[in-house]
Amino acid sequence: MTDKVDLKENLGTRRVPKLRMADFPNADEIVREGLLNEPRGEDAVDILLVNPPTPDGDLWIRTQHRVGRRTREKMVWPQVSLAQMAALLHPTYKVAVIDANAEYMGWPEFTKLLDKYRPKYYLTQVTAPTLENDMYGCFLAHARGAKTIAFGTHVTTVPRETMRPYPALDFVLYGEPDLAIRDLLDHLEGRIDERPPEIEAMFAKDEHYKPAIKENGEVDMFEIKGLVWRDKDEIIMNMPRPFLADLNDLPIPMHELLPLQNYRMPMIKGPFTFIVTGRGCTAGCTYCIKHVSYQYGVRLRSPELLVEEMWQLKEKGVHNIHMYADLFTVNREQVVELCKLMIEQEMDIKWTCNSRVDYVDEEMLQLMAKAGCHMISWGIESGNEAILKHARKGADPAKAKRALTWAKQAGIKNWGYFIIGLPGETEETIRETIDFAKGLPLDIALFHIAAPYPGTPFFFEVVKEGWFRPGTRWEQVDMDKGTVLDYPQLSAEQLMYWQKRAWREWAFRPGPAITYLKMLFSDWTTFKTALSLGFQHIAWAGTDTGMPIQREAATSH
């Protein structure tokens, strides 16, 4: 038997103390002073220009004036717009570029590079289908002390409503970002006086430009054109910045900052990259996002400057070029002069381009082929004239067949893009487009679903008519693997069904199959890409989207 314990020794017998006001310890000041922040090392940069990891780890297509979309064709697009802005900032600022898409880089590896570079400024492009994903990159950079900046088609048309829900985004450059990013950094860093003469001359071509400096020497943020920013709790949208007066003033992009060996495209043996030949397009297609950034004016780079850039790329081991423009053949004189220079200088460059079927002629296509052009991508869109007219395409199926025949006769391969689901579309008009595509001399055909990207006339038409599916998010506005459209006569499920059926009918024929086999055995890298592309397409095209599969057997022809 144990001794009895005195209850007073049990501290739990004491009276419970009166509840006091909370007084939590606070370490904010210590952390703010840099307790956990490593000093910026030798790798630290002033500005990091990024194409961040993709939402799903797959390949996506994104550029300065284009939308973001997954790529069924397994293309890895060069980030020349980032290299162009880097050239405008260097050498005044220490710059680095990360193209996480081309490097197949996920967020963990990307985060390590953020810690390595410790940028003072973080510049990212933003598109509608990748919005939340892109803002995650801003969050990571902002948490590490960087000022975050976004540019691209989405923030150009939705600037305030992009910044409002994402407080980690500090600035938006709407419109053409090239001079805007230089102007912003020069002001924030107090380095306007360090501008090289050629950069200063570019600003001088805007007759209303003046440094945004107050009399007391402080930066007047309200005067930096093309900028959206935060003034305490208010989001301010400054006046727009005029378009660059002369693209020839731009320095040649710093291609060396890009992972050039990673840029690939089907039917091209080896790496390729972009050369930007111009900005803007005269056509009025209602669905096209290019008019959001550059509208309807056209500015061209000189053929002499383009050839100079090609020689520099050849020295870097790049022998395949895509002439990147809203419409490469918008000016016949530029195209002809460029081709003549390439032939005279024996460039020995293989190149591709885009075109409209009504902006070519037989003689010009023959010259292009002689200068090394081996493939043209055509925006054909539909085989129905009424659909094309409503979309203000400005071309017709007869012109498409004529232009592609001319190209084929010149020895140029044809890559055709088609859109399922433009306004007025029915199952009968889709059937017309499929049959039309099968009758064209095409080496590759891709069928996308119409996407109402913000700012396009098509977008405003969809809003007005109530064709958006209820609950649509920006991330769903994707032309490749889904749709946000719900027409009275064509549901989203029907559009997806017909998109896949169109590709199946076109691709599973002897001609396209032979083209694909040639791709497979051109070289080892292309073999791996083509094999992956083939499996991906077959898996994608074979999935059921909810429509009875027996309908195909009943109506195919």
Side-chain angles (χ1 to χ4, degrees):
M1 185 172 179
T2 59
D3 294 335
K4 189 176 180 179
V5 177
D6 189 345
L7 288 178
K8 291 182 178 180
E9 294 183 19
N10 178 358
L11 299 182
T13 61
R14 297 181 180 182
R15 185 165 60 101
V16 175
K18 184 180 178 181
L19 185 65
R20 300 177 181 177
M21 181 61 191
D23 184 18
F24 301 112
N26 190 302
D28 275 342
E29 193 67 31
I30 296 173
V31 173
R32 188 180 299 114
E33 291 177 359
L35 175 67
L36 301 180
N37 294 331
E38 297 179 9
R40 301 179 82 239
E42 292 182 358
D43 293 322
V45 297
D46 293 314
I47 181 167
L48 186 63
L49 304 97
V50 306
N51 184 29
T54 62
D56 53 9
D58 206 348
L59 291 174
W60 283 63
I61 289 174
R62 290 147 56 89
T63 64
Q64 176 170 312
H65 60 287
R66 294 285 187 179
V67 298
R69 70 172 177 87
R70 297 173 184 85
T71 166
R72 272 184 288 130
E73 58 269 47
K74 284 293 180 185
M75 289 194 294
V76 187
W77 274 27
Q79 296 303 303
V80 175
S81 58
L82 300 181
Q84 179 67 83
M85 284 185 274
L88 274 165
L89 296 167
H90 177 82
T92 307
Y93 301 98
K94 187 176 180 182
V95 301
V97 174
I98 298 177
D99 186 355
N101 177 73
E103 302 273 15
Y104 291 87
M105 187 185 300
W107 286 110
E109 186 180 354
F110 183 81
T111 304
K112 289 180 181 178
L113 286 179
L114 279 179
D115 291 333
K116 172 185 175 182
Y117 288 122
R118 297 291 303 277
K120 295 175 68 175
Y121 300 94
Y122 173 96
L123 178 68
T124 182
Q125 56 184 321
V126 176
T127 65
T130 62
L131 174 60
E132 198 167 86
N133 175 82
D134 301 338
M135 289 301 102
Y136 180 61
C138 288
F139 164 76
L140 292 174
H142 197 272
R144 286 158 173 77
K147 292 291 185 182
T148 57
I149 310 163
F151 73 98
T153 54
H154 186 76
V155 296
T156 291
T157 55
V158 193
R160 290 189 180 94
E161 289 306 305
T162 300
M163 292 194 72
R164 184 185 57 79
Y166 296 105
L169 178 58
D170 294 304
F171 301 103
V172 158
L173 308 178
Y174 73 100
E176 212 164 31
D178 309 82
L179 283 184
I181 184 60
R182 177 79 203 212
D183 206 19
L184 177 63
L185 261 63
D186 285 349
H187 279 92
L188 294 180
E189 292 293 306
R191 305 180 78 169
I192 292 177
D193 294 336
E194 298 179 39
R195 286 176 179 166
E198 59 272 19
I199 300 295
E200 190 63 47
M202 294 176 70
F203 283 103
K205 288 190 176 181
D206 173 7
E207 59 183 13
H208 300 294
Y209 175 80
K210 61 179 181 179
I213 304 294
K214 300 178 182 178
E215 290 184 4
N216 62 3
E218 294 180 356
V219 176
D220 186 353
M221 294 297 296
F222 290 88
E223 294 298 322
I224 301 177
K225 296 179 181 179
L227 181 69
V228 186
W229 56 287
R230 301 178 191 275
D231 184 18
K232 298 179 181 177
D233 294 331
E234 187 179 359
I235 296 173
I236 306 296
M237 187 170 179
N238 292 352
M239 68 182 76
R241 183 174 295 272
F243 291 118
L244 287 166
D246 188 349
L247 295 186
N248 292 323
D249 291 339
L250 288 168
I252 289 177
M254 297 180 71
H255 292 279
E256 62 272 19
L257 296 180
L258 302 175
L260 292 174
Q261 294 302 313
N262 290 25
Y263 295 132
R264 301 283 170 160
M265 181 186 286
M267 302 180 70
I268 292 181
K269 186 176 180 179
F272 84 110
T273 196
F274 288 165
I275 285 185
V276 177
T277 62
R279 294 180 180 178
C281 176
T282 54
C285 308
T286 61
Y287 50 83
C288 187
I289 195 72
K290 68 185 71 169
H291 298 310
V292 168
S293 294
Y294 302 141
Q295 296 169 19
Y296 298 95
V298 173
R299 292 158 294 155
L300 305 172
R301 295 175 71 202
S302 72
E304 291 78 12
L305 190 58
L306 298 176
V307 168
E308 180 185 345
E309 187 172 350
M310 281 184 229
W311 281 115
Q312 289 189 17
L313 285 167
K314 284 199 71 169
E315 292 174 1
K316 294 176 173 63
V318 178
H319 302 278
N320 296 288
I321 300 294
H322 179 69
M323 304 294 185
Y324 188 66
D326 297 303
L327 176 56
F328 172 68
T329 56
V330 68
N331 182 272
R332 189 183 194 276
E333 183 180 351
Q334 182 206 34
V335 174
V336 168
E337 181 60 28
L338 174 62
C339 290
K340 288 180 177 179
L341 285 175
M342 294 179 73
I343 294 167
E344 289 171 6
Q345 297 186 25
E346 299 180 353
M347 286 292 304
D348 192 25
I349 284 277
K350 297 296 182 184
W351 55 278
T352 61
C353 67
N354 71 350
S355 183
R356 285 174 53 97
V357 298
D358 53 349
Y359 274 71
V360 294
D361 57 69
E362 190 172 11
E363 181 185 17
M364 185 173 76
L365 288 168
Q366 292 283 346
L367 184 63
M368 288 167 61
K370 188 177 179 182
C373 177
H374 65 97
M375 184 169 65
I376 298 175
S377 59
W378 308 89
I380 302 167
E381 323 312 2
S382 176
N384 180 273
E385 288 193 39
I387 299 290
L388 294 170
K389 186 175 182 180
H390 183 95
R392 298 206 293 269
K393 178 67 180 176
D396 58 62
K399 289 180 180 177
K401 189 162 189 176
R402 182 183 67 181
L404 270 65
T405 300
W406 283 339
K408 191 79 170 178
Q409 290 171 347
I412 299 172
K413 294 182 175 65
N414 292 314
W415 185 320
Y417 284 97
F418 298 87
I419 298 177
I420 302 293
L422 289 169
E425 192 85 272
T426 65
E427 292 190 352
E428 289 72 25
T429 59
I430 297 173
R431 179 76 264 162
E432 281 185 61
T433 297
I434 296 172
D435 292 340
F436 180 59
K438 288 159 71 173
L440 291 173
L442 286 167
D443 296 276
I444 292 180
L446 287 176
F447 298 83
H448 297 292
I449 301 178
Y453 292 109
T456 62
F458 180 36
F459 168 83
F460 292 110
E461 183 180 7
V462 171
V463 172
K464 178 182 177 182
E465 300 295 337
W467 293 333
F468 267 113
R469 300 198 83 176
T472 292
R473 291 181 54 83
W474 289 125
E475 288 76 14
Q476 296 168 314
V477 185
D478 183 357
M479 65 193 293
D480 198 54
K481 290 191 175 180
T483 182
V484 298
L485 295 173
D486 237 336
Y487 292 115
Q489 77 280 10
L490 274 177
S491 69
E493 288 76 17
Q494 287 174 299
L495 288 171
M496 289 187 283
Y497 164 83
W498 279 105
Q499 178 200 20
K500 295 181 179 184
R501 175 170 174 173
W503 185 80
R504 286 199 303 265
E505 284 199 31
W506 183 87
F508 295 158
R509 298 177 300 134
I514 291 171
T515 298
Y516 178 72
L517 287 172
K518 288 180 179 178
M519 283 172 55
L520 270 176
F521 296 103
S522 58
D523 67 9
W524 173 240
T525 302
T526 305
F527 176 85
K528 291 189 294 182
T529 302
L531 198 62
S532 173
L533 172 64
F535 283 130
Q536 185 186 26
H537 266 72
I538 291 169
W540 168 79
T543 55
D544 184 11
T545 58
M547 291 193 64
I549 198 68
Q550 60 264 29
R551 291 188 57 179
E552 181 170 353
T555 59
S556 64
H557 54 90

